[in-house]
Amino acid sequence: MAISLSDIAERAGVSVKTVSGALHGGSARMSDDTRQKVKAIAEELGYVTNLAARGVRQGWLPLVGVVSDGLITSPFATEIVRGLDGAARSAGMAVFAVNHSSGQSIGSVVDEVQQFRPRAVAYAAMYHKDVDLPPALAGSVGVMINCREASGRVTSLVPDEEGGAREIVRYLLASGRRRIAFINLPGILAGALREKGFRAALEEAGLEPIGVLPAVRRSVYSDRAPSLVASHVETLLAAGQRPDAILCGNDRVAMEVYAALARAGLKIPDDIAVASFDNQVELASRLDPPLTTMALPHRAMGRLAMEILLAGEPQPPHLRKLPFHLVERASV
Amino acid sequence: MAISLSDIAERAGVSVKTVSGALHGGSARMSDDTRQKVKAIAEELGYVTNLAARGVRQGWLPLVGVVSDGLITSPFATEIVRGLDGAARSAGMAVFAVNHSSGQSIGSVVDEVQQFRPRAVAYAAMYHKDVDLPPALAGSVGVMINCREASGRVTSLVPDEEGGAREIVRYLLASGRRRIAFINLPGILAGALREKGFRAALEEAGLEPIGVLPAVRRSVYSDRAPSLVASHVETLLAAGQRPDAILCGNDRVAMEVYAALARAGLKIPDDIAVASFDNQVELASRLDPPLTTMALPHRAMGRLAMEILLAGEPQPPHLRKLPFHLVERASV
DNA sequence: CTGAAAGCGCTTACAG
DNA sequence: CTGAAAGCGCTTACAG
């Protein structure tokens, strides 16, 4: 069995309370002498705090549970976790991630996590979507990350897709582009919202889109679906109103646009500008020319989520849209 | 505060012990009547077991800590976790993953995990490497995954790189190939071990390698380093002894080999066979022709690690090499 | 078949 | 400045 406070107390000739105060109670008043002695003995015996014991006393363990809809594997999901983890660490909390695989109900996964009496629980979606949280869970899940909770009973943190699209369009406009096409990701929430922002920003400038086209044939975007990008680019270039900028649904799509433009003998950004969403660094920074793209606020969502969870004052539930951030490279 | 056993006991008019037995003690003898009544009340009150309380009694929480050297983000790492998680679940344990970022010592991260009194702790490396575990941790870390622990004080689970290379070479030989080149990943343990297996299998057949070449210029393989693959392929094809098979360090390298062979007007597998390591499904299955490749035993390492950790009888520490598995597609 | 009590390792009022 | 005791919510001998 591991060393306990009473082992240290015995060895130091003081009470357990004194040991507890010396090791953990930063503010507990006692002679520096005693404190030093206790710490030395603890170190010598290799004492490791028993958080389970502290937890049963306090009613909670220094954990924040994160239930995610699938294994955390994409770079985006990793960023969310990074954000959560950084903020948790500063607060002395650890992140306990459990994934909600297809077989189970959200409720059963949340209960599983609750058995450990975490300080708080978050739900994180792997991509921006709508999620219905069962009403019974509104009390136990403190914040929804990367998804919109329908009932409005719990605070949701999502990327400001519409704002991000507006921003990149304005940037294209500021660079002098006027005929802008959008090869968008179809069938997903992010795509629909970005299209709204795209159209709004053009309208604001008194312009019309040159074309809003789906990157793939299937109604739901997937990297596996057969791509329409190359043929769209050809169509756009053949038309009377040839675009001077193409906005892409993500960096992968942009890569295909690059290839199609190269085939057509067009120079980026001189003949035509290309911009997109995602900022997959490995990809975007290595394209030639490096790609200007809107980075998603994944890390910020993670950080803010943790701050909300650990804040003393609970705020009324709301939907919070976090801003994208423009990564300027050389494609515009 | 949450519902406790005593709340249920009071409501049911029985002792706490009876409630505990009814809910958790599968074998505890009591009238079916009592058990049903207790269960109904627990359900009604929304009781959730307090594992912290049980943990302080038992001395451990139903957790297995996994310390990993970096955020779990690659598909390989995900497979390890999947293996661990599946086996943990069957044993009623949860996986508690903590990543060991560059700033901290392994020891401090392990201690952090130990505060939660997990049932066991594993260490997982993101790629096959040598790791020195500080001697003090030999007692607390039960198994090393995807790395070789130098001192031999703790069981290590690694892919059998040498055996995997032998197997794929034998497969190429069985398909009638005789002049085999290897474009290997330089500067990493996996590459060195595979090269041994590659040479051994050829020697066994009385053959010489046509060439063993590094995929990148830098001494350590990285996807970002400038690739030498295309020029190697040209060199190999121009030589007198043109290879009839090229083994590749990973699927990415194979993809580049495909491109170079296409440029040279060579057909796979008729003119030349291509095989590799990794089985990155997205990539390997979508190449044309689909790529024959050796899959790494990541999931198996995870599963076995958990079995070792949770086994009653501790085995003496040893190095266990897990077999690759051949994924036959159409490139050989 | 069931209860009352002890105890796991902590922290927190309550006394001195 | 320090100690003895109570109590967090469980489980596990010990009695009946």
Side-chain angles (χ1 to χ4, degrees):
Chain A
M1 194 49 70
I3 307 300
S4 71
L5 290 189
S6 64
D7 296 325
I8 300 173
E10 196 180 348
R11 190 73 169 247
V14 298
S15 75
V16 170
K17 180 230 125 104
T18 303
V19 177
S20 174
L23 298 181
H24 305 306
S27 60
R29 283 169 307 180
M30 66 183 59
S31 75
D32 253 18
D33 223 37
T34 315
R35 167 166 275 134
Q36 292 315 323
K37 185 166 113 194
V38 167
K39 284 191 167 178
I41 293 175
E43 173 76 14
E44 183 192 337
L45 297 181
Y47 175 71
V48 177
T49 307
N50 184 331
L51 292 178
R54 183 184 292 171
V56 67
R57 187 67 235 268
Q58 323 237 72
W60 49 266
L61 252 27
L63 286 172
V64 173
V66 178
V67 176
S68 64
D69 66 338
L71 221 44
I72 303 198
T73 169
S74 76
F76 300 135
T78 308
E79 281 298 296
I80 295 177
V81 173
R82 243 186 254 277
L84 285 165
D85 201 62
R89 243 163 231 284
S90 333
M93 300 272 158
V95 170
F96 179 51
V98 178
N99 73 299
H100 161 219
S101 54
S102 45
Q104 330 159 59
S105 71
I106 298 187
S108 72
V109 181
V110 172
D111 269 8
E112 208 177 286
V113 172
Q114 293 286 14
Q115 297 194 321
F116 289 96
R117 296 293 188 273
R119 192 65 192 284
V121 175
Y123 183 90
M126 294 297 96
Y127 66 91
H128 191 170
K129 60 170 73 158
D130 287 306
V131 170
D132 282 321
L133 193 70
L137 301 180
S140 37
V141 175
V143 60
M144 309 284 290
I145 305 171
N146 208 23
C147 54
R148 306 190 303 192
E149 201 284 305
S151 74
R153 271 185 295 262
V154 23
T155 291
S156 300
L157 269 31
V158 295
D160 181 8
E161 311 281 358
E162 217 176 314
R166 267 200 312 270
E167 184 178 344
I168 185 68
V169 170
R170 287 188 190 139
Y171 178 76
L172 289 167
L173 293 170
S175 82
R177 317 288 167 165
R178 286 296 174 270
R179 300 185 305 282
I180 309 178
F182 187 10
I183 302 183
N184 196 10
L185 309 182
I188 60 176
L189 182 55
L193 294 171
R194 290 171 189 174
E195 185 173 331
K196 282 175 70 175
F198 173 79
R199 291 187 185 277
L202 285 179
E203 194 169 336
E204 186 179 282
L207 298 170
E208 291 281 322
I210 290 300
V212 177
L213 305 161
V216 296
R217 186 161 289 125
R218 300 213 196 132
S219 63
V220 171
Y221 176 77
S222 143
D223 277 356
R224 294 185 222 192
S227 167
L228 301 175
V229 173
S231 74
H232 282 334
V233 172
E234 285 164 31
T235 313
L236 287 168
L237 296 180
Q241 278 270 63
R242 164 195 282 205
D244 56 15
I246 300 179
L247 179 59
C248 304
N250 67 18
D251 297 346
R252 285 278 295 262
V253 171
M255 185 174 73
E256 295 185 66
V257 168
Y258 270 53
L261 292 176
R263 257 177 267 127
L266 259 45
K267 282 268 178 263
I268 304 170
D270 300 337
D271 299 326
I272 188 164
V274 178
S276 75
F277 295 91
D278 273 9
N279 190 37
Q280 287 206 39
V281 180
E282 292 285 314
L283 205 166
S285 67
R286 298 177 69 188
L287 288 173
D288 179 26
L291 177 65
T292 292
T293 178
M294 297 298 292
L296 287 140
H298 289 293
R299 174 113 46 139
M301 287 193 293
R303 199 183 314 119
L304 182 59
M306 191 58 70
E307 284 163 10
I308 290 173
L309 289 174
L310 301 180
E313 294 289 290
Q315 301 167 306
H318 60 287
L319 176 70
R320 174 81 174 269
K321 299 178 187 166
L322 286 119
F324 282 61
H325 112 255
L326 172 68
V327 181
E328 285 190 75
R329 294 200 179 88
S331 64
V332 174
Chain B
M1 196 49 70
I3 307 299
S4 71
L5 291 190
S6 64
D7 296 324
I8 300 174
E10 196 181 346
R11 189 76 168 242
V14 299
S15 75
V16 170
K17 181 228 127 97
T18 304
V19 177
S20 174
L23 298 181
H24 305 306
S27 60
R29 286 169 303 181
M30 65 183 61
S31 75
D32 253 18
D33 223 36
T34 315
R35 168 166 272 135
Q36 291 315 323
K37 186 166 112 191
V38 168
K39 283 191 168 176
I41 293 176
E43 172 78 13
E44 184 192 336
L45 297 180
Y47 175 71
V48 177
T49 307
N50 183 332
L51 292 177
R54 182 185 293 170
V56 67
R57 187 67 236 267
Q58 322 237 74
W60 48 266
L61 251 27
L63 286 172
V64 173
V66 178
V67 175
S68 64
D69 66 338
L71 222 43
I72 303 194
T73 170
S74 76
F76 302 135
T78 308
E79 281 297 294
I80 295 177
V81 172
R82 244 187 253 277
L84 285 164
D85 201 60
R89 243 162 230 285
S90 335
M93 298 274 160
V95 171
F96 179 51
V98 178
N99 73 298
H100 162 217
S101 53
S102 45
Q104 330 159 59
S105 71
I106 298 187
S108 72
V109 182
V110 171
D111 270 8
E112 209 176 286
V113 173
Q114 293 286 14
Q115 298 194 321
F116 289 96
R117 296 294 189 270
R119 192 66 192 285
V121 176
Y123 183 92
M126 295 296 95
Y127 66 91
H128 190 170
K129 60 170 73 159
D130 287 307
V131 170
D132 283 322
L133 193 70
L137 300 180
S140 37
V141 175
V143 59
M144 308 283 289
I145 305 171
N146 208 24
C147 54
R148 308 191 301 192
E149 201 284 305
S151 74
R153 272 184 294 261
V154 23
T155 292
S156 300
L157 268 33
V158 295
D160 181 9
E161 312 282 357
E162 216 175 316
R166 268 200 311 271
E167 184 178 344
I168 185 67
V169 170
R170 286 186 191 141
Y171 178 76
L172 288 168
L173 292 170
S175 82
R177 315 290 169 164
R178 287 294 173 273
R179 301 184 304 283
I180 308 179
F182 187 10
I183 303 185
N184 196 9
L185 308 182
I188 60 175
L189 182 56
L193 295 170
R194 289 172 190 174
E195 185 173 331
K196 281 176 71 176
F198 172 81
R199 291 187 185 277
L202 284 179
E203 194 170 336
E204 187 178 283
L207 298 171
E208 291 281 321
I210 290 300
V212 177
L213 304 162
V216 296
R217 185 162 292 127
R218 300 215 196 133
S219 62
V220 172
Y221 176 78
S222 143
D223 276 356
R224 294 186 221 192
S227 166
L228 300 175
V229 173
S231 74
H232 282 333
V233 171
E234 285 165 29
T235 312
L236 287 168
L237 295 181
Q241 279 270 61
R242 164 195 282 205
D244 56 14
I246 300 180
L247 179 59
C248 303
N250 66 20
D251 297 345
R252 284 280 294 262
V253 171
M255 184 175 72
E256 295 185 64
V257 167
Y258 269 53
L261 293 175
R263 256 176 268 128
L266 260 45
K267 281 266 178 262
I268 305 169
D270 300 337
D271 300 326
I272 187 163
V274 178
S276 76
F277 294 90
D278 274 8
N279 190 38
Q280 287 205 39
V281 180
E282 291 286 313
L283 205 166
S285 67
R286 300 177 68 186
L287 287 173
D288 178 25
L291 177 65
T292 292
T293 179
M294 297 297 292
L296 286 139
H298 289 293
R299 175 114 45 141
M301 289 193 291
R303 198 181 315 117
L304 182 58
M306 191 57 71
E307 284 162 10
I308 290 174
L309 288 175
L310 301 180
E313 293 289 291
Q315 301 168 306
H318 60 285
L319 177 69
R320 174 81 173 270
K321 299 179 188 167
L322 283 104
F324 281 62
H325 115 255
L326 174 68
V327 180
E328 285 190 74
R329 294 201 180 87
S331 64
V332 175

